[in-house]
């Protein structure tokens, strides 16, 4: 995807939101669904700003928008599960970013020892707790300590340039170009 000339660079001035979004879209990632339990209610939201931070101790991070309705459910010490979506789970990424009333309705999942939803068919999942929360502009960074990890051999879903991709599309278009 090529940007129009005038969106290519911002030199010597504040980086505006369009330039920032466009530039960050150059970085491919996977897609996760972060889940937790709030009283009797399961909470989950789609997050692509996810990274492994430390192996020993095992730490990872998730960035949550300050405006996210789910944010109050994520507290220091609270249990969470990070579900790394498989290549055929783009529909879940959309569902957990939508305004549907109960995002878990019709979705197959187990619960981990702390009651957090672990989605069936995910490429991998991590159960743990929130170790720290850092302020980060219009987002907060949740630093999560991993306690239990699970890995399936399924390929993960890919997210690039604001769209989800299957591996065959990506490999196909790379080969074609
Ligand atoms: C592929 C994809 C990736 C997303 N990544 C993030 C993210 O990293 N952080 C974030 O706060 N929201 C992200 N979102 C948006 C949230 O999932 C969306 O705003 C959701 O409605 C938030 O739910 P809530 O308001 O119920 O908490 C992403 C959405 C999609 C579809």
């Amino acid at each position: 995807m090529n940007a129009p000339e005038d969106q290519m660079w911002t030199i010597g001035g504040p980086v505006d939101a369009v330039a920032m979004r466009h530039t960050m879209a150059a970085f491919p990632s996977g897609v996760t669904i972060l889940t937790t339990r709030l009283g009797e209610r399961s909470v989950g939201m789609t997050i692509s700003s996810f990274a492994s931070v430390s192996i020993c101790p095992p730490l990872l991070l998730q960035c949550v928008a300050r405006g996210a309705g789910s944010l109050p459910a994520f507290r220091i010490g609270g249990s969470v599960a990070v579900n790394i979506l498989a290549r055929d789970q783009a529909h879940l990424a959309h569902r957990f970013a939508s305004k549907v009333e109960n995002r878990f309705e019709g979705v197959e999942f187990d619960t981990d020892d702390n009651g957090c939803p672990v989605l069936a068919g995910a490429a991998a999942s991590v159960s743990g707790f929130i170790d720290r929360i850092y302020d980060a502009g219009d987002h907060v960074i949740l630093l999560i300590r991993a306690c239990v990890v699970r890995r399936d051999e399924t390929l993960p879903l890919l997210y690039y340039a604001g769209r989800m991709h299957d591996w065959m599309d990506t490999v196909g278009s790379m080969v074609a170009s």
Side-chain angles (χ1 to χ4, degrees):
M1 182 173 116
N2 291 320
E5 263 321 288
D6 61 348
Q7 285 183 20
M8 290 290 273
W9 308 107
T10 303
I11 300 170
V15 176
D16 68 24
V18 173
M20 182 66 178
R21 280 206 185 90
H22 181 70
T23 305
M24 293 306 104
F27 186 68
S29 69
V31 186
T32 70
I33 293 178
L34 178 66
T35 66
T36 191
R37 191 85 188 151
L38 187 65
E40 292 303 298
R41 197 164 65 88
S42 291
V43 174
M45 69 178 284
T46 302
I47 295 193
S48 60
S49 41
F50 160 66
S52 167
V53 174
S54 162
I55 302 298
C56 194
L59 297 170
L60 49 95
L61 69 77
Q62 297 252 291
C63 300
V64 180
R66 283 190 182 282
S70 308
L71 184 57
F74 302 119
R75 302 193 183 123
I76 294 174
S79 298
V80 289
V82 176
N83 296 272
I84 298 174
L85 296 183
R87 66 190 297 181
D88 61 351
Q89 293 185 314
H91 60 290
L92 293 180
H94 289 303
R95 185 173 180 86
F96 281 81
S98 74
K99 296 286 168 215
V100 67
E101 199 170 316
N102 180 1
R103 291 175 177 165
F104 290 89
E105 194 174 296
V107 174
E108 209 184 319
F109 65 92
D110 286 326
T111 49
D112 66 17
D113 288 350
N114 299 309
C116 300
V118 174
L119 304 182
S125 63
V126 177
S127 291
F129 63 88
I130 298 172
D131 195 46
R132 289 183 208 175
I133 300 180
Y134 298 95
D135 284 336
D138 56 12
H139 281 59
V140 299
I141 301 170
L142 308 182
L143 188 70
I144 296 167
R145 172 84 181 235
C147 299
V148 177
V149 291
R150 307 167 204 86
R151 174 81 200 268
D152 196 277
E153 289 314 309
T154 327
L155 287 171
L157 181 62
L158 301 177
Y159 185 57
Y160 168 64
R163 286 181 45 216
M164 281 166 269
H165 301 265
D166 191 9
W167 286 72
M168 292 317 287
D169 301 342
T170 309
V171 174
S173 55
M174 279 184 341
V175 168
S177 61

